[in-house]
Amino acid sequence: MSSTIQVEAARIPDRDKLLELLIEHGLDARPNGEMGIEVLCADESGPASDEVFSEVSGMILSIGAPFVPIKHEGVVYVRPPVG
């Protein structure tokens, strides 16, 4: 049984770059809406939401902006830091 994990970026260019990086890292990622990405994951053989969160966290630096990934209710949000 497979499910999806939603990733939401703060800006369209960031979404596009993150989508490209997720695909390069072998994840089944597709654009979803204006700033969203849907990552397909399988319960047994595919990435779990924690793995996707880890992947996104590691890719943030390559986007070139100070963004912070936040996981909330099954969605990974990529937002500027608060403060």
Side-chain angles (χ1 to χ4, degrees), residues 4-82:
T4 59
I5 297 166
Q6 186 69 21
V7 178
E8 292 287 333
R11 304 179 307 176
I12 293 171
D14 301 325
R15 190 279 313 252
D16 294 344
K17 180 63 176 172
L18 189 55
L19 176 62
E20 179 183 316
L21 290 170
L22 289 166
I23 292 169
E24 284 178 12
H25 281 83
L27 296 173
D28 187 1
R30 298 182 178 114
N32 183 13
E34 194 169 293
M35 292 189 287
I37 300 170
E38 193 173 73
V39 182
L40 183 66
C41 59
D43 291 337
E44 294 181 24
S45 61
S49 64
D50 290 340
E51 286 181 66
V52 173
F53 183 75
S54 294
E55 288 284 336
V56 170
S57 297
M59 295 174 192
I60 294 300
L61 292 175
S62 65
I63 291 175
F67 287 98
V68 177
I70 300 166
K71 185 176 169 186
H72 178 69
E73 294 184 6
V75 177
V76 177
Y77 295 95
V78 181
R79 300 283 183 236
V82 176

